[in-house]
Amino acid sequence: AKRENMYECLVEGCGKKFKGDLQRHWHLVNVHRYPRSLQLSMNGICRRKRQEGKNKSKAQAQVASEDTREAQLDEEMEDLCEAVGRVS
């Protein structure tokens, strides 16, 4: 029986499949420019996904903070414009 390629590329949309983990690793490093130090064990993948989730949460919190600050500045600017309008 012929063996099918079981190791799929991890890059979304690529879809290439390989006979072994070494071929997939070579593909990721040379085609998609992943670091050579990439380890494809399940623990490594899970750890990396958790870290990506943490980084996204931090980025979202920073954006929310910036949005809040921008809203405060807009409100202060409106107050200043109203005050200048009353003085004029």
Side-chain angles (χ1 to χ4, degrees), residues 15-54:
K16 285 203 167 211
K17 291 186 178 182
F18 306 93
K19 289 182 181 179
D21 195 36
L22 291 176
Q23 290 87 1
R24 178 174 63 179
H25 184 269
W26 183 92
H27 171 79
L28 289 168
V29 169
N30 292 297
V31 175
H32 298 298
R33 304 292 184 219
Y34 273 64
R36 288 187 189 275
S37 60
L38 175 69
Q39 294 179 355
L40 295 176
S41 66
M42 286 307 294
N43 289 337
I45 290 171
C46 294
R47 191 177 322 112
R48 192 168 28 259
K49 287 190 181 220
R50 277 195 307 268
Q51 188 62 36
E52 287 172 1
K54 288 179 184 177

Side-chain angles (χ1 to χ4, degrees), residues 63-75:
V63 167
S65 174
E66 290 172 0
D67 288 346
T68 302
R69 180 65 183 140
E70 190 173 320
Q72 289 172 340
L73 291 173
D74 287 345
E75 193 174 310

